Amino acid sequence: MVHYSDMTPDIRKVVKIELLNRDINRKKLSELTGLSPEHISRLMNGSSGFVPEGWQKIFDAVGLELVVQAKKISAKD
């Protein structure tokens, strides 16, 4: 589990490792997400991806933080 308030290089690294583990390339990720390959590249390379400022203010106000962790996959998935 990774705790961060924005899309830091560490979070990007975890996502990239997970994509490799699942054999998902950027083209496939584009199909899965509906995002263009170019948008995915920008997100993965760090040129954007911060938690929107409004949400971050809400998180801060109520003492929450963004958490990234693998989903539990049920036997039927």
Side-chain angles (χ1 to χ4, degrees), residues 1-64:
M1 191 173 347
V2 182
H3 297 264
Y4 290 102
S5 61
D6 59 30
M7 296 302 293
T8 65
D10 291 335
I11 291 175
R12 287 184 178 88
K13 182 178 179 180
V14 169
V15 171
K16 288 176 182 179
I17 290 169
E18 193 62 28
L19 290 171
L20 286 172
N21 289 341
R22 295 172 181 265
D23 198 29
I24 298 174
N25 60 28
R26 292 203 180 164
K27 181 179 179 191
K28 178 67 175 174
L29 187 59
S30 175
E31 294 167 3
L32 292 170
T33 62
L35 299 172
S36 72
E38 295 79 14
H39 189 179
I40 289 171
S41 290
R42 284 192 304 274
L43 292 170
M44 297 299 288
N45 292 324
S47 58
S48 75
F50 287 100
V51 173
E53 183 180 353
W55 275 110
Q56 188 59 56
K57 287 181 178 184
I58 293 169
F59 294 159
D60 291 343
V62 296
L64 296 174

